[in-house]
């Protein structure tokens, strides 16, 4: 099934591909070179990845574009949600390390005088913060039965 998604995506015209993934096909191909270079630079082989580099790119772009949870993407791609998260993190790290896919820095954005060409949204999943139980001021006092 993942192969079908990739083939269907690659058969789209340029505009539809951009609308679906958020990047043009040329950028998608440029990302492939970065991921293949990362694969070649591995020192230890280990267990093979659940998805090939092209599928990893498409999965990551879907995560960025659609803001879906790792569980939903995992169901669609036939992999576990932690595998989705690890894949997205690895692809992000490879893209950042290449330097080809970085957003402009703070200075460049300020120089543009409030004319933004790109907007970055952090949509990573984070656990909900909950208060810790303690015996402090928030805990009700015990009643004494002594008179």
């Amino acid at each position: 099934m993942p192969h079908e998604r990739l083939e269907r995506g690659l058969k789209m015209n340029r505009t539809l591909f951009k609308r679906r993934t958020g990047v043009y096909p040329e950028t998608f191909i440029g990302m492939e070179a970065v991921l293949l270079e990362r694969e070649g630079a591995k020192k230890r082989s280990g267990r093979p990845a659940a998805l090939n580099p092209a599928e990893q790119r498409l999965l990551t772009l879907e995560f960025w574009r659609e803001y879906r949870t790792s569980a939903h993407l995992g169901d669609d791609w036939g992999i576990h949600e932690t595998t989705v998260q690890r894949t997205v993190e690895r692809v992000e790290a490879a893209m950042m390390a290449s330097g080809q896919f970085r957003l402009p820095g703070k200075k460049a954005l300020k120089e543009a005088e409030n004319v933004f060409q790109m907007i970055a949204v952090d949509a990573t999943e984070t656990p909900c913060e909950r208060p810790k139980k303690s015996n402090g001021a928030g805990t009700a006092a015990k009643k004494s039965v002594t008179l």
Side-chain angles (χ1 to χ4, degrees):
M1 180 157 140
H3 298 292
E4 295 169 8
R5 295 173 70 112
L6 182 61
E7 290 173 11
R8 188 175 65 230
L10 293 175
K11 289 180 183 177
M12 294 179 188
N13 66 28
R14 188 172 192 269
T15 309
L16 191 57
F17 187 84
K18 164 81 163 122
R19 185 175 178 195
R20 175 84 172 116
T21 63
V23 298
Y24 287 111
E26 300 84 25
T27 307
F28 189 76
I29 292 169
M31 294 169 80
E32 179 178 21
V34 170
L35 289 180
L36 291 176
E37 182 180 322
R38 182 199 70 181
E39 289 293 319
K42 284 185 178 178
K43 293 186 175 132
R44 295 164 52 186
S45 60
R47 184 176 179 164
L51 303 173
N52 66 40
E55 292 169 340
Q56 291 175 16
R57 284 178 294 164
L58 192 56
L59 170 74
T60 302
L61 290 172
E62 283 184 11
F63 179 77
W64 291 340
R65 183 76 171 168
E66 301 171 9
Y67 306 120
R68 296 171 63 202
T69 64
S70 298
H72 286 117
L73 284 170
D75 287 343
D76 285 352
W77 285 89
I79 55 178
H80 195 269
E81 64 185 290
T82 55
T83 306
V84 170
Q85 191 62 37
R86 278 195 313 260
T87 301
V88 169
E89 288 172 0
R90 283 188 196 129
V91 170
E92 286 175 346
M95 296 301 143
M96 291 296 290
S98 75
Q100 299 175 16
F101 303 99
R102 287 181 169 250
L103 291 172
K106 199 177 211 181
K107 289 180 183 178
L109 290 174
K110 283 184 179 180
E111 289 172 4
E113 298 201 2
N114 297 330
V115 178
F116 295 104
Q117 295 177 356
M118 294 183 218
I119 297 176
V121 177
D122 182 13
T124 56
E125 294 181 45
T126 55
C128 182
E129 293 183 20
R130 303 201 186 279
K132 303 288 183 207
K133 291 185 179 180
S134 65
N135 292 332
T139 308
K142 295 181 181 178
K143 293 184 180 178
S144 176
V145 290
T146 335
L147 295 172

